[in-house]
Amino acid sequence: MKRLFYNGKIASLDSNNTFYEAIGIKDSKIIFLGLDTEAQATKSEYDERIDLHGKTVVPGFNDSHIHLLNTGYAMTMLNLDPFNSIENIIDGTLAFIKTHAFSSEMWLLGRGWNQDKLKEKRYPTRADLDRISHTIPIIFTRACGHIAVCNTVALNTIGMNSLDTHDENINTDKGLFQEDALNALYAAVPSPSKDEIKDMILKASNALLKQGVTSVQSDDLCCMPDRDYEKVLQAYHELNHEKKLPVRVYQQCLFFEESDFEAFAKKHYRTGQGDAFFKIGPVKLLLDGSLGARTALLREPYSDDLLNSGIACFEQNELNRLIQRTQHYGFQVAAHCIGDKAMDMFVEALKNVPSFNKEADHRHGIVHAQVMTPDIIRSMSDLHLLAYIQPIFLDYDLHIVDNRLSHRANNAYAFKTMLESNIKLCFGTDAPVVDYNPFENIYTAVVRKDLNNQPETPYLITECLTVNEALKAYTLNGAYSAFEELYKGTLELGKLADFVIIDQDIFSIDPIEIKNISILMTVLDGQIAYEQI
Ligand SMILES: [Zn+2]
C-alpha cells in the first residue's frame, strides 16, 4: 500500500529542521519527502493521495513516562477529579452506587482526588468514606497514585490485625495508606483477569491515538493488585501477536523488591528485547514519592512542613546493591526521583558501581527530576543521564512550589537549564496522574503557566522552551531514550511512518492556543490509526 500526503506543512524535526510539502509512504515506511512539484512526477504510483489542505504534520508523539495499563484501569474506576469538595465526593459516589449494581463482594475503586483542589483542603478520611457505605469496600486513590484512603469495610476485609500498626505509612484511624504500605491495601482487591487487562490496554491505547500518541514508555508490570507481571506481559504479547496493539510500547519494568527483580532477570528478560511494537525497556526504580503529597525526598525539610523531608523508598546501601545488580545484568535504568535528595541517592548509587562507565551508551535517566539544583544538573550532564519530564505537572505544581520549597523553587523544573547543559529532555505525562494530552504538555513547557493562563508572569520565564525544543523532546528524544532514534522520532526517508496531522499550525499560532490544538489524523506504521470525523 502506497499513500501520498501532499499540500501540507510537514515538520520533519530532522537535524536541519527541514519542512516539506509532501510525504509518501509505502507500507510502514517513509519513501518520499519533498515539494508538491517533486511529488507530482510519481503521483500516479500511489494507491491513495490525501490532500492535507495546508495542515501541519509532525512526528507521532512518544509519551516517555506513562502508566498505560493503569490509565485503562482508571477508566474502569470512579473518576474523582471533577469533585471540588469532600461533600461532593460523598454525594457523587452515592449517586454512582445507585446507578451501578454493586454487591458486597465488589470493591468500589476511585481515583483522582487532590486535597488542594478540595474545598476542605484536607485528605478524605475513613470516616468520610464510611458515610458512603458500610457494606461495599471502598478505596479512593489520590491523583498522584502515592496515597489512598479506604473505608472501614475495606480495612476489615484486609484484616486490621494483619497490618503493621507501627508502619508510619499506615494510619488506620484515618484509613490512610501511602507509598510501600499501599501494597497491603491493594492486595485485598480482586485482580483483573488477563482478558480484562487486554481490554484496559486497548481502551487506553485507543484514547492515546486520538491525541496523536503513537509510542509510549509505560510502567505496567506490577500495577495490578496481584502484581502478576507475567500476566501483564502475556496480555501484551497476545495483543502484539494478534496484531491488535494500537501503540508502540517500551516497557519500563518497575519492581518493588530486589528479589522480584532478580527473578525477572534470571528469566533472561533484558532491555531491548522485543519488536517494533513491544519491547522490554529499562528497569524502573521508585526512589521517592510526590511533591503534592510531601513525600518527595528532600535534602532539607519542606518549607510548609518543617519536620518532614519526604520518604526514601530505599536505604542508600540497599539502592547501591540493587543498581549494581541491574548493571550486572546490563539493564538500562530509569529512576523515579522528584526530590533533590532522591536524585543525590541515584547519582551516588550509579557512581558506586565499579563497572559503571559514564561514557558507555547506557541511556540511564531520571524520571521527573523536579526539585533540581545546579550541582545535580552538573552531575546529570556529566553522567549523560536523560531527564524524563512532565511539564504539565506545572499546571498544579506552580501553585504549590513556593509553599513546599520556598527559595528552592527558583531552581525547580529547570527545563531550559537542563537542555542547555546537554541533558536530553524526554516529555511524558505520567497518566493517569494527569491527562495524556500532548498539547497541554507542550503548552506548559512553552509558556510555563497553568491551563487557565495563570499566573500573569510565567513561572521562571527563562526556563521556557521553544515549540521546536518541546516537539523534539516529545518525539526524537523519546525515541532516543528507547534506543530507537534510528528508525523513528523524526520524519526522514526509511523511518517508520508514524505521524500526526494537526488542526492548527503549532509553529505560528499564539503559544497560548497550543493547548487547544487537536488531532485530525494519526498515522501509525503507515496505517490510518485515527481520523477525526
Ligand atoms: Zn509514574
Side-chain angles (χ1 to χ4, degrees), residues 114-116 121-123 142 144 146-147 169 178-179 288-298 300-312 338 396 400 403-405:
N114 176 345
Q115 76 283 1
D116 289 315
K121 300 286 174 209
R122 64 168 175 85
Y123 294 176
R142 192 176 182 276
C144 67
H146 291 264
I147 297 183
N169 289 328
Q178 59 180 9
E179 304 304 334
D288 65 350
S290 75
L291 192 66
R294 298 187 188 84
T295 49
L297 187 64
L298 303 182
E300 304 292 333
Y302 282 86
S303 303
D304 54 2
D305 187 356
L306 295 172
L307 295 175
N308 175 19
S309 302
I311 291 177
I338 289 182
Y396 163 64
I400 59 160
N403 287 341
R404 297 281 191 281
L405 302 173

Side-chain angles (χ1 to χ4, degrees), residues 341-395:
K341 180 70 183 167
M343 291 188 266
D344 288 345
M345 289 181 70
F346 180 55
V347 166
E348 184 175 333
L350 268 180
K351 286 182 170 169
N352 190 266
V353 178
S355 63
F356 177 65
N357 171 8
K358 67 182 185 183
E359 301 306 333
D361 193 15
H362 53 72
R363 306 195 193 185
H364 300 321
I366 295 182
V367 182
H368 305 307
Q370 287 166 217
V371 186
M372 201 34 93
T373 68
D375 63 298
I376 295 173
I377 290 186
R378 278 195 296 278
S379 294
M380 285 185 73
S381 176
D382 179 50
L383 301 179
H384 307 297
L385 299 181
L386 312 170
Y388 299 87
I389 55 171
Q390 299 70 31
I392 186 61
F393 280 10
L394 284 175
D395 177 50

Side-chain angles (χ1 to χ4, degrees), residues 65 67 219 284 336 368 430:
H65 177 61
H67 303 265
D219 167 354
K284 164 110 187 290
H336 164 122
H368 305 307
D430 208 8

Side-chain angles (χ1 to χ4, degrees), residues 121-275:
K121 300 286 174 209
R122 64 168 175 85
Y123 294 176
T125 63
R126 169 181 162 186
D128 295 321
L129 271 52
D130 281 345
R131 287 173 55 200
I132 298 169
S133 180
H134 288 288
T135 53
I136 303 167
I138 301 174
I139 299 177
F140 284 170
T141 306
R142 192 176 182 276
C144 67
H146 291 264
I147 297 183
V149 56
C150 68
N151 64 351
T152 302
V153 199
L155 273 183
N156 290 339
T157 310
I158 298 163
M160 288 265 212
N161 297 337
S162 70
L163 294 172
D164 175 3
T165 45
H166 298 296
D167 187 337
E168 56 186 14
N169 289 328
I170 300 177
N171 181 332
T172 48
D173 286 344
K174 294 191 168 174
L176 281 170
F177 290 70
Q178 59 180 9
E179 304 304 334
D180 285 359
L182 286 167
N183 304 336
L185 181 61
Y186 295 137
V189 179
S191 263
S193 68
K194 184 182 67 192
D195 285 339
E196 287 169 327
I197 288 174
K198 286 168 80 173
D199 263 358
M200 293 173 192
I201 293 170
L202 287 174
K203 263 203 193 96
S205 305
N206 284 317
L208 286 167
L209 282 177
K210 290 186 187 172
Q211 298 287 0
V213 178
T214 52
S215 293
V216 295
Q217 303 184 46
S218 187
D219 167 354
D220 304 312
L221 293 192
C222 295
C223 78
M224 289 290 115
D226 60 5
R227 296 201 166 170
D228 183 350
Y229 67 80
E230 289 291 2
K231 185 165 67 178
V232 174
L233 284 172
Q234 191 60 30
Y236 271 115
H237 287 142
E238 286 184 15
L239 284 172
N240 195 11
H241 188 71
E242 294 157 11
K243 303 225 174 299
K244 282 190 194 152
L245 197 52
V247 296
R248 304 183 194 277
V249 179
Y250 189 64
Q251 186 61 236
Q252 296 177 331
C253 307
L254 174 71
F255 297 99
F256 291 91
E257 304 292 337
E258 187 181 330
S259 54
D260 293 338
F261 161 70
E262 282 289 343
F264 179 77
K266 292 228 161 71
K267 290 181 193 167
H268 305 288
Y269 288 113
R270 294 291 183 275
T271 300
Q273 286 170 346
D275 58 24

Side-chain angles (χ1 to χ4, degrees), residues 259-468:
S259 54
D260 293 338
F261 161 70
E262 282 289 343
F264 179 77
K266 292 228 161 71
K267 290 181 193 167
H268 305 288
Y269 288 113
R270 294 291 183 275
T271 300
Q273 286 170 346
D275 58 24
F277 269 88
F278 185 86
K279 269 188 198 153
I280 298 291
V283 167
K284 164 110 187 290
L285 298 174
L286 201 56
L287 268 63
D288 65 350
S290 75
L291 192 66
R294 298 187 188 84
T295 49
L297 187 64
L298 303 182
R299 289 177 180 174
E300 304 292 333
Y302 282 86
S303 303
D304 54 2
D305 187 356
L306 295 172
L307 295 175
N308 175 19
S309 302
I311 291 177
C313 298
F314 295 99
E315 300 286 339
Q316 185 71 53
N317 60 352
E318 269 180 326
L319 181 67
N320 291 356
R321 197 178 57 235
L322 182 52
I323 298 269
Q324 183 139 2
R325 295 306 292 162
T326 63
Q327 297 315 286
H328 167 78
Y329 293 110
F331 279 97
Q332 181 187 19
V333 178
H336 164 122
C337 306
I338 289 182
D340 45 10
K341 180 70 183 167
M343 291 188 266
D344 288 345
M345 289 181 70
F346 180 55
V347 166
E348 184 175 333
L350 268 180
K351 286 182 170 169
N352 190 266
V353 178
S355 63
F356 177 65
N357 171 8
K358 67 182 185 183
E359 301 306 333
D361 193 15
H362 53 72
R363 306 195 193 185
H364 300 321
I366 295 182
V367 182
H368 305 307
Q370 287 166 217
V371 186
M372 201 34 93
T373 68
D375 63 298
I376 295 173
I377 290 186
R378 278 195 296 278
S379 294
M380 285 185 73
S381 176
D382 179 50
L383 301 179
H384 307 297
L385 299 181
L386 312 170
Y388 299 87
I389 55 171
Q390 299 70 31
I392 186 61
F393 280 10
L394 284 175
D395 177 50
Y396 163 64
D397 287 1
L398 63 79
H399 298 284
I400 59 160
V401 71
D402 285 327
N403 287 341
R404 297 281 191 281
L405 302 173
S406 61
H407 66 280
R408 290 168 291 188
N410 295 329
N411 292 314
Y413 307 84
F415 306 152
K416 190 75 159 195
T417 308
M418 286 196 265
L419 185 95
E420 287 174 345
S421 308
N422 293 319
I423 295 169
K424 277 215 188 327
L425 306 179
C426 313
F427 279 12
T429 59
D430 208 8
V433 174
V434 295
D435 194 80
Y436 40 76
N437 180 323
F439 298 104
E440 292 181 352
N441 209 12
I442 293 172
Y443 157 87
T444 334
V446 172
V447 309
R448 292 180 72 94
K449 296 183 177 198
D450 69 15
L451 294 172
N452 297 317
N453 303 331
Q454 296 300 319
E456 205 64 41
T457 310
Y459 164 55
L460 304 182
I461 192 167
T462 54
E463 297 292 347
C464 290
L465 298 180
T466 66
V467 168
N468 190 272

